[in-house]
């Protein structure tokens, strides 16, 4: 007996820098878990990387190779999931073009992330057709595989709502070709950087995935804790401390309770607390580093896996595009 097809999940990441613990616990661990009962497509959104920085393209491919290595090192299984490169499947571009014909400008201009990114990156010229069209290309990425669900962070939910609107409009005009993908909101662990803000490469407060034990230790020992806790004798509040958030990810319940109680009573100091965290974090980082290095030493093997994934993704994308062209009476 063949088992029923598993629901399709699609998600992508832009290859714009080394992945850090924020990516690992905010997205990748969820991707890993989804493999158990979904048919997963995970890709490098290299074309999307161009939308906010068309001028610097030389880092995209090297970053992409590292990103695939990180995916595998984090536990994404190339035997079970398909990983591929967006630009290697040209059907993304074809569907993007067709969806562009039916997407009203107003929907794109109203997108909250469009406004927000333009404000945050005000030093860059973002009055660009490609940047405005970000959610259209993203829609193509998703529905090309007829995804039932998309694991995204809270910041991408508005994009997905747009995707659903575009799907409804397409299906309304040309017939029911696409399912409406649901957002799978990650119950993402919160990861705070070494300066107390959200962990982000652009803040320079990140701990990289598989960073060697030595520098992981240095960053943790130097990290900001509860800013109100100036002296060893001051009572602390773990709820405002990034170290406690990492304990919740890495340490067992008993240790978390120990931190919670003794931070509030000043029973332990931050140094004790950090050392306790490192007992779990260091070996984890070390194991990740070893897996990454083993993979980086075999670039040919990783390349082959990506090629296989590209071919698999392409086959599915081509099948969908045949239906699209037929529905639109273009074939
Ligand atoms: N927008 C996503 C990000 O910035 C990347 C992305 C591109 C994506 N296409 C997608 C995510 C399709 C999910 C599905 O992280
Ligand atoms: Fe943070 Fe731990 Fe210090 Fe409390 S004891 S402030 S949780 S590092």
């Amino acid at each position: 007996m063949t088992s029923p097809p598993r629901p399709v999940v699609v998600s992508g990441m832009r290859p714009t820098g080394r992945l850090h613990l924020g990516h690992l616990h905010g997205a990748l661990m969820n991707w890993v878990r989804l493999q158990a009962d979904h048919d997963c497509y995970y890709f490098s959104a290299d074309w999307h990387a161009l939308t906010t920085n068309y001028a610097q393209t030389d880092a995209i491919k090297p970053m992409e190779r590292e990103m695939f290595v990180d995916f595998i090192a984090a536990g994404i299984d190339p035997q079970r999931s398909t990983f591929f490169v967006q630009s290697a499947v040209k059907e993304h571009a074809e569907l993007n073009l067709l969806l562009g014909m039916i997407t009203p400008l107003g929907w794109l201009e109203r997108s909250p992330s469009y406004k927000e990114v333009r404000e945050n990156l005000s030093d860059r010229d973002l009055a660009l057709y490609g940047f405005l069209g970000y959610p259209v290309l993203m829609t193509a990425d998703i529905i090309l595989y007829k995804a039932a669900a998309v694991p995204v962070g809270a910041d991408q939910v508005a994009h997905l709502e747009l995707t659903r609107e575009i799907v409804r409009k397409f299906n309304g005009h040309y017939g029911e070709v696409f399912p409406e993908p649901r957002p799978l909101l990650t119950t993402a662990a919160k990861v705070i950087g070494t300066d107390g803000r959200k962990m982000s490469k652009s803040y320079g407060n990140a701990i990289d995935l598989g960073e060697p034990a030595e520098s992981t230790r240095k960053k943790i020992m130097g990290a900001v804790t509860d800013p109100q806790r100036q002296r060893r004798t001051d009572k602390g509040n773990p709820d405002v401390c990034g170290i406690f958030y990492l304990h919740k990810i890495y340490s067992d319940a008993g240790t978390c309770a120990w931190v919670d109680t003794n931070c509030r009573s000043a029973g332990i100091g931050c140094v004790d607390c950090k050392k306790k965290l490192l007992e779990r974090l260091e070996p984890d980082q070390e194991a990740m580093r070893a897996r990454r290095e083993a993979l980086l030493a075999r670039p040919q093997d990783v390349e082959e896996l990506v090629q296989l994934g590209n071919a698999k993704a392409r086959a599915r994308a081509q099948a969908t595009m045949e239906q699209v062209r037929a529905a639109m009476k273009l074939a």
Side-chain angles (χ1 to χ4, degrees):
M1 221 179 75
T2 56
S3 44
R6 296 175 303 164
V8 172
V9 149
V10 173
S11 202
M13 235 183 238
R14 291 177 297 139
T16 51
R18 273 281 278 118
L19 300 190
H20 52 64
L21 297 185
H23 296 112
L24 178 64
H25 302 292
L28 279 180
M29 289 313 287
N30 194 40
W31 289 16
V32 169
R33 280 189 291 270
L34 285 167
Q35 297 181 115
D37 43 13
H38 292 79
D39 186 9
C40 300
Y41 289 79
Y42 297 133
F43 68 97
S44 161
D46 58 343
W47 279 336
H48 271 112
L50 298 172
T51 57
T52 47
N53 202 349
Y54 65 81
Q56 276 157 19
T57 57
D58 39 324
I60 294 178
K61 290 295 134 177
M63 286 300 180
E64 180 175 284
R65 291 298 118 163
E66 289 237 15
M67 193 172 80
F68 283 125
V69 163
D70 286 340
F71 284 3
I72 304 172
I76 293 176
D77 177 359
Q79 312 296 335
R80 275 196 294 171
S81 299
T82 304
F83 53 63
F84 68 96
V85 178
Q86 183 183 38
S87 68
V89 183
K90 308 301 179 201
E91 286 73 14
H92 287 247
E94 184 183 355
L95 187 54
N96 174 57
L97 178 139
L98 295 174
L99 296 177
M101 304 300 169
I102 68 167
T103 306
L105 276 177
W107 291 5
L108 299 173
E109 285 161 350
R110 273 197 301 273
S111 155
S113 48
Y114 173 70
K115 290 190 210 152
E116 197 187 301
V117 175
R118 281 198 70 165
E119 281 158 21
N120 287 345
L121 300 179
S122 53
D123 54 324
R124 279 192 221 156
D125 173 20
L126 290 176
L128 297 165
Y129 170 60
F131 179 65
L132 180 67
Y134 191 108
V136 182
L137 181 56
M138 188 163 154
T139 299
D141 300 338
I142 296 165
I143 68 179
L144 205 40
Y145 304 91
K146 300 200 173 176
V150 185
V152 286
D155 60 322
Q156 303 280 316
V157 171
H159 279 152
L160 213 65
E161 201 33 63
L162 237 158
T163 292
R164 292 161 62 85
E165 279 186 272
I166 297 173
V167 164
R168 284 193 286 269
K169 187 160 178 190
F170 184 99
N171 288 346
H173 280 288
Y174 305 115
E176 289 287 322
V177 175
F178 298 112
E180 269 181 51
R182 298 180 285 118
L184 270 184
L185 257 178
T186 331
T187 41
K190 196 165 159 182
V191 184
I192 292 174
T194 52
D195 62 355
R197 293 187 287 174
K198 180 183 177 204
M199 190 175 284
S200 160
K201 189 184 160 71
S202 52
Y203 292 156
N205 65 1
I207 297 174
D208 288 346
L209 206 106
E211 194 162 324
E214 179 60 26
S215 58
T216 297
R217 167 172 289 263
K218 261 198 202 128
K219 286 186 178 176
I220 291 294
M221 294 316 289
V224 166
T225 62
D226 172 1
Q228 302 295 321
R229 200 172 179 201
Q230 300 283 354
R231 282 176 297 265
R232 169 66 181 80
T233 48
D234 294 342
K235 291 177 180 168
N237 176 9
D239 297 330
V240 301
C241 176
I243 298 297
F244 188 52
Y245 286 98
L246 286 171
H247 268 297
K248 285 198 257 192
I249 295 167
Y250 286 92
S251 302
D252 54 32
T255 305
C256 289
W258 172 81
V259 172
D260 199 11
T261 309
N262 288 291
C263 173
R264 292 180 202 281
S265 65
I268 56 169
C270 293
V271 172
D272 309 312
C273 182
K274 289 174 167 181
K275 283 189 177 152
K276 195 75 195 160
L277 169 67
L278 286 165
E279 285 175 20
R280 301 298 292 270
L281 176 59
E282 262 184 13
D284 205 86
Q285 283 284 76
E286 211 30 51
M288 193 74 82
R289 187 196 58 75
R291 284 197 295 276
R292 276 179 46 79
E293 277 186 9
L295 290 160
L296 287 168
R298 307 188 335 247
Q300 226 22 64
D301 292 3
V302 176
E303 179 59 30
E304 228 165 78
L305 288 171
V306 176
Q307 295 296 339
L308 271 170
N310 286 345
K312 231 180 108 188
R314 208 173 279 134
R316 191 171 171 100
Q318 282 168 352
T320 303
M321 282 317 294
E322 276 174 26
Q323 294 171 359
V324 169
R325 292 181 210 117
M328 294 181 77
K329 305 193 173 23
L330 293 172

